[in-house]
Amino acid sequence: GYAFDCTGECAPCVYTTNDDGNYICKIDNALKTTGCAGTPSHPATTTRTRLMGSLGAGGNSYCWTALDGYDGDTPKDKCESYFVDPVDPDIPDTYTGGCSGGCSLCIYNTADGTCTAGPKLYPDTPEPSPLPSPSPAPALPPSPSPSPSPSPSPSPSPSPSPTSTTAPVASHGCPATAFRDGKTHVTGTHDNMWCGGTAEYPASPEFNEEHKIQCESHYVDPILPVPNGYAFDCTGECAPCVYTTNDDGNYICKIDNALKTTGCAGTPSHP
């Protein structure tokens, strides 16, 4: 009664050489998959092909394998049709997906043409219930009075809820996130859009002022995995894009980790 739906693992055949140097046709273990067994918490994982990550054969089932030997015209589409699950080590062979072992969306890096893993994702956990507000202290009984109608004691003001200290600070009052003003928002983990995707120019060791302006007119929010309904208020980390060089000396557009922030979520106790 098997439905031939890849839940029992499937893989393409590949024409390659064996240990003796002879060409043979065999299973491509690097692209072995159980389908799109992701999690509704991160909808992109339910439409992409799953790479087996730490459960893959010989450690060769990660994002980079999506473009291994690929010479087509759409490397970005090819790369970003995959995700890795699980990412964490020491996952039992009985694991069937769902991101509880950590998963990552594959992201195409325009600057150097590589396919790399995005931030590690896990299924959303229920939001913790807010702590109850402290009960007000009971009112003392009124003192005896000769007046026939004693004045009632005023009710004490209720104590503030402890959850009020975690309310997001308005962006206009937070210097840490002032870099967002006038810049284009790139939505990071929300729909897998990053600084590198804003760069419409090839990687080059030559500095280009126009490329710098194009790159640094963007910022990313969120950087961390966030629950549905995220308010894009930097509580999931945000940062500006910066035009800089990579390890190969080529100029690229990437997140400025030095300015990564969660905003001004301090405490009113110390304004």
Side-chain angles (χ1 to χ4, degrees), residues 107-111 184 186-188 192-201 214-221 223 239-243 252-257:
I107 299 172
Y108 182 69
N109 189 332
T110 307
T184 301
V186 180
T187 48
N192 198 29
M193 296 296 293
W194 302 91
C195 293
T198 69
E200 299 176 358
Y201 46 82
Q214 178 185 341
C215 168
E216 296 184 357
S217 64
H218 297 81
Y219 74 95
V220 178
D221 178 25
I223 296 171
C241 297
V242 62
Y243 182 67
I252 60 171
C253 187
K254 61 178 286 188
I255 288 174
D256 188 347
N257 287 311

Side-chain angles (χ1 to χ4, degrees), residues 42-132:
H42 304 291
T45 64
T46 64
T47 59
R48 296 186 178 207
T49 299
R50 175 188 170 203
L51 296 172
M52 301 293 285
S54 58
L55 291 180
N60 289 326
S61 192
Y62 291 90
C63 291
W64 66 268
T65 61
L67 295 183
D68 190 26
Y70 178 76
D71 59 359
D73 297 328
T74 55
K76 176 177 171 66
D77 293 344
K78 173 75 170 174
C79 167
E80 295 182 358
S81 67
Y82 291 95
F83 78 106
V84 179
D85 181 19
V87 177
D88 292 342
D90 303 321
I91 300 295
D93 291 340
T94 54
Y95 178 76
T96 58
C99 291
S100 60
C103 62
S104 292
L105 300 177
C106 294
I107 299 172
Y108 182 69
N109 189 332
T110 307
D112 58 12
T114 57
C115 188
T116 57
K120 192 185 297 185
L121 308 173
Y122 292 95
D124 289 344
T125 55
E127 291 294 315
S129 300
L131 297 173

Side-chain angles (χ1 to χ4, degrees), residues 12-26:
C13 296
V14 61
Y15 183 62
T16 186
T17 53
N18 62 12
D19 294 339
D20 299 326
N22 295 315
Y23 277 93
I24 61 171
C25 186
K26 60 177 285 189

Side-chain angles (χ1 to χ4, degrees), residues 128-136 158-168 265-269:
S129 300
L131 297 173
S133 300
S135 301
S159 301
S161 167
T163 59
S164 63
T165 61
T166 61
T267 168
S269 301

